[in-house]
Amino acid sequence: MKAIIVGAVGAVLGCALGVVLVLLDGMPLQASVQAHNTDWIYQIMLVTTAGIFGLVTAVLVGAVVTFRAKHGDMSDAAPVHGHTGLEIIWTIIPTIIVIVLTGLSWKVLNDNNVADAKGHLTVSVWGQKWDWNYDYPTYSGEVTGTKGTFPYKVAGIHELVVPINTPIRFEIRSRDVIHGWWVPAWRVQINATPGQMNLLSATPDRLGTFAVVCTFVCGDAHPKMGTEVAGAFPSRIHVVTQAEFATYIAAAVVQAKKDASDPDHAAVVAFSGCAGCHAWTPAKAGGTVGPSLDDVAKDKPAGETLEAFVRESIVSPSAHIATGFSPGVMPANFGTTLSKDQIDALVARIAADSKK
Amino acid sequence: MSGHDAAVGHDHHGPAAHTYQPYPVRLGIVPLGLVIFLTSEISLFGAFFLWYGHARGLNNLAWPAIGYEIPADSTSINTAILIASSFTCELAFLSLMKNRRRGLFWWLVASFVLGAIFLGLQAREYHDIGFLPTTNAQGSIFFSLTGLHGAHVFIGLTLLLFCIIRVARGHFTPKRYTGLLVTSIYWHFVDIVWILLYTLVYLLPDKVA
Amino acid sequence: MRVFLRPNLARCLWVTPFVSLTSMTLALAIRKAAGYPQLWDDGVPQQMLAIGYISGVIGFLIGIGSFDTWFPWMIGSPDRPDDHSQHGAYSWRDYFRFNTDHKVIGVQYVVTTFIAFLMGGMMAEIFRSELAHSGQGVIDTKMFNGLMSQHGTLMIFTFLVPVFAGIGNFVIPLMLGAPDMAFPRLNALSFWLLPLALLIFLSSFLVGSFEAGWTGYPPFSTEGPMGETLFEIGIQVAGASSIATAVNFLVTIITMRAPGMTLFRMPLLVWANLATSALVVAATPFIAGAQFMTMFDRVMGTKFFVPEMGGDVLAYQHVFWFYSHPAVYIMVLPGFGIISEILSVMSRKPIFGYRAIAFSSAGIALLGFSVWAHHMFASGMEDWLRVPMMISTMMIAIPTGIKIFSWLGTIWQGVLHMTTAMLFATGFIFTFVIGGVTGIWLASVPFDNHVHDTYFVVAHFHYVLFGGSVMTVFAGLYFWYPKVTGRMINEKLGRAHFWTTMISSNLVFMPMHWLGLEGMPRRVADYDPQFQNWNEVISLAAFVLGAGMLIFVYNVIVSARHGAPAGPNPYRSLTLEWQVSSPPPIFNFDIPPRVVGGPYRYGEPGAKHAIFPEPSVAKERTHA
């Protein structure tokens, strides 16, 4: 009987501790419908299980304090081998608790999924070493100009603009290894797994700029991928009003179409793969993992044309290492992931800019 | 199988520990150990089958790879040979029980030869199949599964060879046969795995086809 | 010179390189004979490394003498009666050779795993000093990734999994009333694989340490430096070791029990080990399979994880976690058994609900196979698998809860002797409950989708594996120390060790929860400055935690010499291992015991677990 009283007191104290922890709120800012849902289930679980924790701790400490043997006490306790009723109770009550928690979690899981909600916006996300690229498949297409037909897409390098209060369906893929795409303020995360498309959805309900964090170890610059650590190129999501988004996307489509008919377009698109690590003024990129591309000429070995050097540095990056940087950092597969046209355009543009 | 049989391995194995069998058991410790180990072997095949099942069932891996063929028909001969060798192995065991030494020896030799023919035919199939482990993922898993099984056949053949040598030296009696029992259990296991493997890898048609 | 021919470490010195180099030469010769255009293309060093290491392992085993009796036996050479020259320890040298005595092997295991534990801990101290401050400091990202991966690998594969095999090795045959394990030579062989695995993991620093964590997910692991191949080989070696031990435990527990030792008279540690061994046997080959695939991709150029060629990256995670989740239970279930032993003896009270605890071990082992994909909620796994996995993961809390409540029932109204072992046992309940409840949270898919692969997960599994398993390891070591050495361990130092460990470990792992919730991902060498404060606390506490381990090491060494003589049964325990001298005789029981009742009959006047029948009858049986 005493044990039950101690346990009950402990459970109440534990729940109180849980409530305090909820009030202290360790979670980041809530910025999406999913964040509200997830925090709700989190708080329920926190308070419930803190009660269990309190119960166990109270009985444990109570027993150690109360039943401690006096010095030299060699007696044995009463031989109690068990209590069927008690054992049934502590099987059934936890069972009920976990069934309830499972049911609530399931509900939240379903509520959180808005990938197929009405009026959703689709964004495709590409993870690569060590950057996130975005584009809007809805706002991509083909444009026919005087020089022929070109595909265009509204793409963002490490920055994404989305409208508020709109269900967004993220289609996440990877170009090299596994990355993890996490928006802490939205409470949503999924891996970018090579060879498959993973789905994630969120409905942002707060304006502002939010960090994207890579959660999966992916190589040398993994800590810099997305987070705001020193020397990194932060990856952010800007949530804007629906009107602002409409304006933004209309302008972006016009720009994308214009870019598409521009001969430099291929270079700019291809450069999206470089922006995470390299600085390059024409694309407003400022990465510091690799050398800046604004003055590639300074690292060029004598007796080689600038074009040949730039091409070599893209296709087999370890052939010549710029001073102050380590070999093996830049992925060696751009020769296969970029098309020949893209490489040609990139080489021409980077070399031309550097000569200015 | 009796507790007595469990003591058989000990004359070879040695330590006094083994002669200490206070608690009567139905299965001798060596065969019991082997059977437990074989569950582990099933899991090892299971790991590759899990990859295979995931890739084909959930990741829609084309099977076989487009433009390649898996020779289910000609491999049925291999299958028949391996199943036959299981029977000859069991006949060897029956001969031992009836104390027919010649029968024991020659049925074991027959099992060994059939197993060796199986391996030879597998090697020939590898040569003729037209793709390599490095060609594509289908090739990787095909060669891994059949290769893993082939390695087990090879181990089984080694065990059979040991048994043949020991029979020639006059070992095994109707009451002392742990080594032979272990070998035959292993050999049947190899056979059963092959039947599963043949069904799933060679016979299971592609969804698309 | 004869020393180089007898089975021992000296023979390993030349056999290992000999076998290794011969195999590599042979492989190169085959390459040349097969007409490969280039003898040394890109993949060849990788292949030679793999061949050299794998054959080196076999060479070492030959050198140490693992096969000295098996080879002649296999080809049917005339029987040689065993002279037991490989059995038992008569001097310290006997601990450095192929010894078939389960007690020697137990000590070898525990010492080896402890070396691995200290090394793994040291690596953690190094990268904690890097993480003490935001920004690049002591080590670079490559080094960090290497140390972080090594830390996890050593702690899991060469410490937590095998340390319980070590404790079980020493204790279980004694508890069962058996003279040794069922397969003593296999037992010695499984031990000697372990230091090899440790060396293989460590040597990967020389060729570029593996960076993909202990999980080794492709394609990051398949494109990593050569150390990754050594990681894959090391896992195979450690895995082979644990499978062989588990087979041995299962056969021992099934067949070697003393007369009268029915299943429900077995001590609960034996039950826990039965469940664990079943898990090991059935699950470990899956990680072997997963590592074979990644190794083939690296060494032979197969395409298991190359999506463009039909490869399936996600399948690796399924295969991997099909082992690695049960592995968590492999790492805690024996600990549960240890706790059950200690709580009952130290409370002078029968264990509360013996059958419930025994069956909950079996229940955890069975359920353990149906929860693997909860590690993959955020990996883009098949959607329909999420909810079933969430349900089964939540369900596993029930048998675990039964255990915890039964332990509380055991100590309630007991006569508690708060020895160091008991302190660790009760401390374990406290910390393990924290790890348990965060486990329930993580089972919830929406919550997991927020904190997956963050410091929250790091906090959770350190509470389970440090607050859970490591605490039980210490409890067990303090508890059985008098049995192993014949001397009592210094309680004062033991208590100092307990309190430093308890306080500093909570300071290390508790703040990690908040970091994870706030947004700090795991496995990063550098982090956002906003997380600076908690990381400073964590690093500082980690150094205290590490220093606390030194107290333990000192205590173990000094008490072995200067401790008070323990006598056979200092705790007045009923189980069989305490009914023989400390340390136990070379063949355990001079008189084989007869079990007449349950193992925890404290408080029943005159109750006995086992009796020792007339010596004259017994002698005949032992030396028959």
Side-chain angles (χ1 to χ4, degrees):
Chain A
M1 196 57 216
K2 207 172 142 196
I4 294 171
I5 296 169
V6 173
V9 171
V12 172
L13 287 177
C15 289
L17 173 75
V19 173
V20 171
L21 287 174
V22 166
L23 293 176
L24 285 176
D25 189 19
M27 287 283 200
L29 197 70
Q30 291 176 329
S32 72
V33 173
Q34 284 70 20
H36 293 281
N37 294 340
T38 305
D39 286 4
W40 176 73
I41 185 76
Y42 157 69
Q43 288 162 0
I44 288 176
M45 290 193 299
L46 176 56
V47 175
T48 323
T49 56
I52 299 172
F53 167 73
L55 185 149
V56 172
T57 311
V59 176
L60 184 71
V61 174
V64 169
V65 171
T66 322
F67 303 113
R68 205 173 174 144
K70 293 190 181 56
H71 190 70
D73 183 355
M74 300 299 263
S75 67
D76 281 358
V80 180
H81 283 276
H83 187 289
T84 314
L86 205 54
E87 285 172 42
I88 290 173
I89 290 173
W90 69 44
T91 310
I92 287 181
I93 291 180
T95 310
I96 294 170
I97 293 176
V98 297
I99 287 173
V100 171
L101 291 180
T102 309
L104 296 178
S105 299
W106 195 346
K107 180 187 176 301
V108 171
L109 180 66
N110 284 334
D111 292 349
N112 276 358
N113 181 10
V114 292
D116 299 312
K118 254 181 82 172
H120 70 257
L121 169 71
T122 304
V123 174
S124 88
V125 182
W126 286 91
Q128 65 177 42
K129 284 176 177 177
W130 286 278
D131 194 18
W132 297 104
N133 296 339
Y134 304 95
D135 62 82
Y136 307 85
T138 337
Y139 303 105
S140 302
E142 284 186 342
V143 58
T144 309
T146 45
K147 288 176 190 155
T149 303
F150 301 97
Y152 74 90
K153 61 180 178 181
V154 177
I157 307 159
H158 44 249
E159 307 241 355
L160 174 69
V161 179
V162 290
I164 193 169
N165 294 331
T166 309
I168 305 171
R169 171 193 171 99
F170 291 98
E171 300 179 340
I172 297 169
R173 303 179 186 85
S174 168
R175 292 208 171 97
D176 38 46
V177 299
I178 300 174
H179 302 278
W181 194 78
W182 180 32
V183 187
W186 287 358
R187 315 284 190 275
V188 292
Q189 176 185 173
I190 202 154
N191 285 359
T193 312
Q196 68 184 66
M197 186 187 82
N198 295 339
L199 273 187
L200 187 71
S201 55
T203 315
D205 64 354
R206 180 189 278 270
L207 297 174
T209 298
F210 304 100
V212 177
V213 178
C214 176
T215 53
F216 207 92
V217 60
C218 53
D220 284 347
H222 164 58
K224 295 184 175 163
M225 185 166 167
T227 47
E228 316 233 347
V229 307
F233 203 88
S235 182
R236 298 196 191 103
I237 295 181
H238 304 281
V239 180
V240 297
T241 62
Q242 296 187 343
E244 280 170 344
F245 181 74
T247 323
Y248 161 79
I249 205 78
V253 167
V254 171
Q255 184 65 38
K257 284 181 177 166
K258 211 177 110 199
D259 284 352
S261 22
D262 182 334
D264 268 352
H265 176 66
V268 176
V269 169
F271 181 75
S272 65
C274 320
C277 304
H278 296 281
W280 196 36
T281 315
K284 298 185 203 70
T288 56
V289 174
S292 163
L293 302 185
D294 288 331
D295 48 355
V296 282
K298 91 171 155 46
D299 291 312
K300 181 178 80 74
E304 199 173 348
T305 66
L306 189 58
E307 280 79 4
F309 169 62
V310 172
R311 185 179 300 274
E312 178 195 61
S313 299
I314 294 171
V315 178
S316 50
S318 293
H320 184 84
I321 301 299
T323 41
F325 294 91
S326 336
V329 174
M330 177 162 159
N333 60 353
F334 285 121
T336 50
T337 55
L338 296 175
S339 73
K340 191 181 168 299
D341 288 347
Q342 283 176 314
I343 296 180
D344 287 348
L346 207 50
V347 168
R349 180 72 194 263
I350 291 174
D353 274 26
S354 190
K355 277 174 185 161
K356 273 178 204 165
Chain B
M1 295 287 302
S2 66
H4 174 80
D5 180 65
V8 173
H10 316 147
D11 306 286
H12 313 296
H13 267 289
H18 287 167
T19 53
Y20 185 78
Q21 272 278 336
Y23 212 66
V25 282
R26 290 179 63 85
L27 208 58
I29 60 163
V30 178
L32 176 65
L34 178 77
V35 169
I36 293 171
F37 174 67
L38 289 183
T39 46
S40 176
E41 292 273 47
I42 291 170
S43 292
L44 182 57
F45 281 98
F48 286 91
F49 275 120
L50 183 56
W51 190 97
Y52 172 75
H54 190 273
R56 268 192 81 176
L58 299 172
N59 215 28
N60 297 320
L61 184 73
W63 191 267
I66 293 146
Y68 297 100
E69 205 186 332
I70 297 219
D73 296 344
S74 64
T75 313
S76 60
I77 300 166
N78 297 20
T79 313
I81 288 174
L82 201 62
I83 293 173
S85 80
S86 239
F87 281 101
T88 54
C89 188
E90 209 46 38
L91 284 170
F93 213 84
L94 282 177
S95 304
L96 174 72
M97 287 298 119
K98 292 179 179 165
N99 223 347
R100 293 184 191 141
R101 304 294 304 180
R102 281 172 66 92
L104 168 63
F105 182 79
W106 288 110
W107 283 124
L108 276 181
V109 171
S111 313
F112 182 86
V113 170
L114 286 172
I117 292 174
F118 173 85
L119 268 194
L121 288 176
Q122 275 306 105
R124 197 188 151 80
E125 180 182 308
Y126 279 5
H127 184 263
D128 296 342
I129 200 159
F131 58 84
L132 291 169
T134 51
T135 309
N136 46 33
Q138 287 91 338
S140 306
I141 190 66
F142 175 83
F143 278 95
S144 294
L145 275 170
T146 53
L148 185 65
H149 179 264
H152 281 77
V153 174
F154 181 79
I155 295 168
L157 284 178
T158 318
L159 291 177
L160 277 173
L161 189 65
F162 288 145
C163 280
I164 291 169
I165 295 171
R166 289 183 62 185
V167 168
R169 290 187 175 196
H171 289 225
F172 303 126
T173 69
K175 283 184 174 170
R176 297 171 55 131
Y177 48 72
T178 308
L180 195 63
L181 180 69
V182 164
T183 307
S184 72
I185 293 175
Y186 192 86
W187 194 245
H188 295 324
F189 164 78
V190 168
D191 197 3
I192 291 165
V193 168
W194 175 257
I195 293 170
L196 188 73
L197 199 156
Y198 181 67
T199 315
L200 289 178
V201 174
Y202 287 81
L203 296 182
L204 200 66
D206 197 41
K207 277 186 291 196
V208 187
Chain C
M1 283 315 287
R2 291 283 303 275
V3 74
F4 288 102
L5 295 175
R6 282 198 300 268
N8 54 26
L9 286 171
R11 191 167 80 175
C12 294
L13 278 181
W14 66 268
V15 177
T16 314
F18 175 75
V19 174
S20 193
L21 291 173
T22 314
S23 308
M24 287 195 270
T25 319
L26 210 63
L28 279 177
I30 291 171
R31 250 188 107 78
K32 199 171 158 66
Y36 281 91
Q38 277 172 308
L39 207 54
W40 286 103
D41 68 13
D42 289 347
V44 176
Q46 190 96 252
Q47 290 167 9
M48 289 304 122
L49 191 78
I51 292 169
Y53 265 81
I54 293 168
S55 54
V57 168
I58 296 166
F60 181 87
L61 291 177
I62 295 173
I64 198 84
S66 305
F67 307 123
D68 277 23
T69 39
W70 280 341
F71 281 150
W73 173 69
M74 279 194 239
I75 56 164
S77 297
D79 297 346
R80 282 181 306 182
D82 196 294
D83 57 0
H84 300 302
S85 64
Q86 288 182 320
H87 188 96
Y90 299 90
S91 84
W92 62 269
R93 280 193 192 83
D94 291 332
Y95 287 93
F96 290 89
R97 55 184 189 82
F98 190 83
N99 202 313
T100 54
D101 185 354
H102 73 96
K103 298 182 289 297
V104 176
I105 294 171
V107 174
Q108 287 174 327
Y109 255 116
V110 171
V111 172
T112 313
T113 50
F114 235 81
I115 292 170
F117 174 61
L118 294 178
M119 287 180 148
M122 220 100 91
M123 290 168 191
E125 304 292 1
I126 299 173
F127 65 70
R128 266 330 305 181
S129 54
E130 160 67 29
L131 288 171
H133 291 282
S134 170
Q136 208 78 63
V138 194
I139 48 174
D140 62 4
T141 311
K142 250 191 170 43
M143 195 65 193
F144 174 89
N145 287 348
L147 286 170
M148 170 275 290
S149 307
Q150 285 271 5
H151 168 75
T153 308
L154 290 194
M155 288 300 193
I156 288 169
F157 296 109
T158 61
F159 175 57
L160 278 175
V161 174
V163 75
F164 287 116
I167 295 176
N169 237 307
F170 193 96
V171 178
I172 282 179
L174 285 164
M175 278 183 164
L176 293 173
D180 205 317
M181 297 279 274
F183 304 110
R185 283 201 192 90
L186 183 67
N187 200 14
L189 181 136
S190 11
F191 163 71
W192 281 105
L193 286 170
L194 188 68
L196 288 182
L198 180 60
L199 286 177
I200 293 171
F201 289 137
L202 290 175
S203 67
S204 75
F205 278 120
L206 302 177
V207 290
S209 185
F210 47 96
E211 294 181 52
W214 77 277
T215 48
Y217 278 20
F220 187 47
S221 65
T222 47
E223 64 171 45
M226 286 221 274
E228 201 69 50
T229 307
L230 296 186
F231 166 78
E232 283 141 14
I233 295 171
I235 299 282
Q236 309 287 5
V237 174
S241 162
S242 68
I243 293 173
T245 316
V247 171
N248 218 336
F249 274 133
L250 283 172
V251 178
T252 308
I253 294 169
I254 295 170
T255 67
M256 306 269 291
R257 282 167 292 155
M261 179 74 87
T262 56
L263 283 180
F264 290 108
R265 283 177 182 170
M266 296 194 308
L268 285 166
L269 174 61
V270 181
W271 268 102
N273 234 295
L274 189 66
T276 309
S277 303
L279 273 179
V280 170
V281 166
T284 313
F286 280 88
I287 196 174
Q291 299 314 318
F292 273 132
M293 290 176 208
T294 42
M295 190 173 88
F296 290 164
D297 264 18
R298 295 175 56 84
V299 174
M300 287 163 37
T302 55
K303 304 288 187 286
F304 281 108
F305 306 115
V306 183
E308 300 84 53
M309 310 292 275
D312 187 348
V313 174
L314 199 64
Y316 173 89
Q317 299 175 26
H318 279 295
V319 180
F320 177 82
W321 287 113
F322 202 80
Y323 163 74
S324 296
H325 192 79
V328 176
Y329 301 108
I330 292 168
M331 290 181 273
V332 296
L333 276 181
F336 291 169
I338 293 173
I339 296 304
S340 303
E341 298 300 322
I342 295 173
L343 288 182
S344 175
V345 175
M346 296 297 178
S347 307
R348 310 308 304 160
K349 192 161 166 280
I351 196 88
F352 196 96
Y354 173 94
R355 286 188 185 223
I357 296 186
F359 283 130
S360 63
S361 287
I364 291 173
L366 274 177
L367 269 177
F369 275 114
S370 61
V371 299
W372 80 91
H374 68 217
H375 296 268
M376 299 165 61
F377 286 153
S379 66
M381 173 183 71
E382 298 69 29
D383 277 341
W384 52 268
L385 254 173
R386 289 178 163 194
V387 173
M389 285 295 158
M390 171 164 73
I391 294 170
S392 55
T393 309
M394 290 270 191
M395 286 298 157
I396 221 160
I398 299 165
T400 319
I402 291 175
K403 274 182 191 289
I404 289 179
F405 293 128
S406 300
W407 290 328
L408 293 178
T410 306
I411 59 171
W412 193 260
Q413 291 186 329
V415 182
L416 306 191
H417 295 267
M418 296 308 289
T419 57
T420 310
M422 184 67 167
L423 276 178
F424 271 100
T426 44
F428 151 81
I429 296 179
F430 172 80
T431 44
F432 183 72
V433 166
I434 299 176
V437 299
T438 52
I440 295 179
W441 305 4
L442 286 169
S444 165
V445 185
F447 180 74
D448 184 74
N449 280 349
H450 174 50
V451 295
H452 187 88
D453 274 330
T454 68
Y455 259 71
F456 189 90
V457 173
V458 178
H460 160 71
F461 70 71
H462 277 95
Y463 262 101
V464 172
L465 293 182
F466 192 94
S469 308
V470 178
M471 296 288 267
T472 67
V473 171
F474 280 126
L477 293 182
Y478 279 106
F479 185 65
W480 281 294
Y481 184 87
K483 185 47 64 186
V484 178
T485 59
R487 288 178 187 276
M488 301 303 286
I489 197 156
N490 187 321
E491 289 285 324
K492 228 175 224 166
L493 287 174
R495 277 197 293 276
H497 174 221
F498 169 75
W499 287 112
T500 39
T501 305
M502 189 71 187
I503 295 168
S504 58
S505 71
N506 279 291
L507 279 176
V508 172
F509 303 126
M510 186 56 87
M512 290 184 180
H513 290 113
W514 322 140
L515 286 176
L517 291 176
E518 280 172 32
M520 179 165 165
R522 71 191 278 202
R523 291 174 173 172
V524 283
D526 194 4
Y527 51 82
D528 197 303
Q530 61 158 314
F531 305 124
Q532 171 86 50
N533 292 348
W534 278 126
N535 271 299
E536 268 172 28
V537 173
I538 292 171
S539 291
L540 206 65
F543 298 140
V544 178
L545 183 61
M549 294 304 146
L550 298 180
I551 305 178
F552 175 73
V553 174
Y554 173 81
N555 196 358
V556 164
I557 294 170
V558 171
S559 297
R561 257 170 185 254
H562 305 290
N569 195 356
Y571 310 130
R572 296 175 293 134
S573 169
L574 291 179
T575 48
L576 273 168
E577 82 272 27
W578 296 103
Q579 312 311 319
V580 293
S581 63
S582 310
I586 299 273
F587 287 98
N588 292 358
F589 296 95
D590 298 330
I591 310 161
R594 177 168 290 277
V595 178
V596 294
Y600 304 113
R601 304 169 75 191
Y602 301 102
E604 295 177 37
K608 277 200 161 32
H609 172 48
I611 52 169
F612 290 83
E614 285 300 302
S616 57
V617 188
K619 273 247 155 60
E620 222 174 294
R621 300 193 54 142
T622 327
H623 300 295

